[in-house]
Amino acid sequence: MISIITPSYNVARFISETIESVQKQTYQEWEMLIVDDCSKDDTVEIVEEYARQDERIKLIQLDANVGAAEARNIALRQAIGPYIAFLDSDDLWYPDKLTKQMDFIRKHDYAFTYTDYECISEDASKILYTVRAPFSIDYSAYLKNTTIGTLTVLINRDKTGLFEMPAIRSSHDMALWLDLMRRGYNAYGLPEVLGQYRQVEGSNTASKWRAAKDVWKVYRDTEKLNVVSSAWNFVHYAVNAALKRTK
């Protein structure tokens, strides 16, 4: 069983495509936990209809807005699968994503894996660039190159034990990967494009300035790096981020 963790907030435009990309998976042993963080549009109604037709889709409605990190943690606490995958409510998977990644993680007995992915325009009409997965990445390397796309991650909790996203508003996924790596679980990349990240106008990751500020805050506030170490890693991060967007 793979438990797919999906926070949602005002994504009525995209959530159907996201859910259907999961339903089209060639690997069918999954549950999809969609945690709605008080959407003001028709997101809940759309998810409810899919959940009525497919018992593997589970809607969790929150009474108060808690942010993406806590929404993911609520899903993680209810997830029954030993394998955890993450898919945000506007992103997409290719149909063989789970099959190929499960083969990869089992064959090599890995705990933490990720894959290549494409960044696409908001209307999904254009591929903006492709992010390639290094063979492996450890704590020190990841500080300098935040190359892991959350939509590509697959983790075996039987190996890592239970985990949650740190309680920060942005870059909590980055902070979690660093926590797992610090505990000795390096990440291993499957060099194949298996998902698409949608670059939505106004999002933190769409803004280079906001994304850079979030990374700096993780260095200083979460990882407790000194200014010199933070600056050293940040220079490498900035170069790698620029290279990633030109591919």
Side-chain angles (χ1 to χ4, degrees):
M1 172 70 75
I2 300 173
S3 294
I4 302 163
I5 308 301
T6 302
S8 67
Y9 180 71
N10 291 346
V11 285
R13 293 178 295 162
F14 308 122
I15 190 69
S16 291
E17 287 182 84
T18 298
I19 292 172
E20 288 170 14
S21 81
V22 174
Q23 291 178 315
K24 291 174 183 175
Q25 291 297 301
T26 55
Y27 188 95
Q28 287 288 303
E29 293 297 318
W30 52 262
E31 62 170 354
M32 186 178 191
L33 291 86
I34 303 175
V35 182
D36 189 76
D37 201 12
C38 299
S39 290
K40 297 177 177 64
D41 63 3
D42 296 330
T43 298
V44 168
E45 289 77 10
I46 293 169
V47 176
E48 283 177 333
E49 183 60 30
Y50 281 98
R52 276 193 290 269
Q53 298 176 23
D54 191 335
E55 63 182 9
R56 297 170 299 177
I57 298 168
K58 302 170 184 179
L59 171 64
I60 304 167
Q61 281 186 262
L62 303 184
D63 296 326
N65 184 275
V66 297
E70 182 57 18
R72 284 173 171 145
N73 288 339
I74 289 167
L76 284 167
R77 292 170 201 142
Q78 297 189 29
I80 63 174
Y83 292 92
I84 300 294
F86 297 91
L87 181 63
D88 283 354
S89 50
D90 51 6
D91 295 337
L92 305 168
W93 283 346
Y94 283 109
D96 53 359
K97 192 266 188 192
L98 292 181
T99 294
K100 290 186 174 181
Q101 200 165 4
M102 282 294 285
D103 288 346
F104 179 67
I105 200 170
R106 286 168 165 169
K107 177 180 178 180
H108 300 285
D109 199 28
Y110 291 144
F112 181 6
T113 64
Y114 61 104
T115 78
D116 297 351
Y117 67 96
E118 294 164 338
C119 180
I120 60 173
S121 59
E122 185 167 332
D123 64 0
S125 65
K126 184 188 304 182
I127 296 173
L128 304 177
Y129 55 86
T130 301
V131 178
R132 299 296 179 186
F135 168 70
S136 67
I137 192 163
D138 60 14
Y139 179 86
S140 177
Y142 188 65
L143 286 171
K144 300 177 179 67
N145 187 5
T146 59
T147 189
I148 297 174
T150 302
L151 77 156
T152 76
V153 166
L154 181 66
I155 297 173
N156 183 350
R157 281 199 303 193
D158 283 346
K159 289 185 172 294
T160 64
L162 298 179
F163 55 79
E164 291 191 359
M165 296 272 176
I168 55 178
R169 293 296 289 190
S170 298
S171 294
H172 36 271
D173 46 356
M174 173 189 176
L176 173 59
W177 313 153
L178 288 168
D179 177 57
L180 291 172
M181 292 171 188
R182 194 188 308 106
R183 290 194 261 151
Y185 301 107
N186 293 347
Y188 294 89
L190 173 59
E192 188 168 346
V193 173
L194 295 176
Q196 293 183 316
Y197 168 81
R198 193 189 303 265
Q199 187 165 293
V200 178
E201 185 178 354
S203 69
N204 275 15
T205 47
S207 166
K208 298 180 182 66
W209 173 243
R210 283 204 301 270
K213 284 175 63 179
D214 290 341
V215 168
W216 181 262
K217 288 184 69 174
V218 170
Y219 290 157
R220 299 287 287 138
D221 299 342
T222 306
E223 298 307 303
K224 308 300 183 185
L225 302 182
N226 62 40
V227 172
V228 173
S229 180
S230 296
W232 173 252
N233 286 298
F234 187 83
V235 168
H236 287 84
Y237 154 78
V239 170
N240 283 312
L243 290 173
K244 178 173 71 175
R245 287 178 167 84
T246 60
K247 292 178 181 178

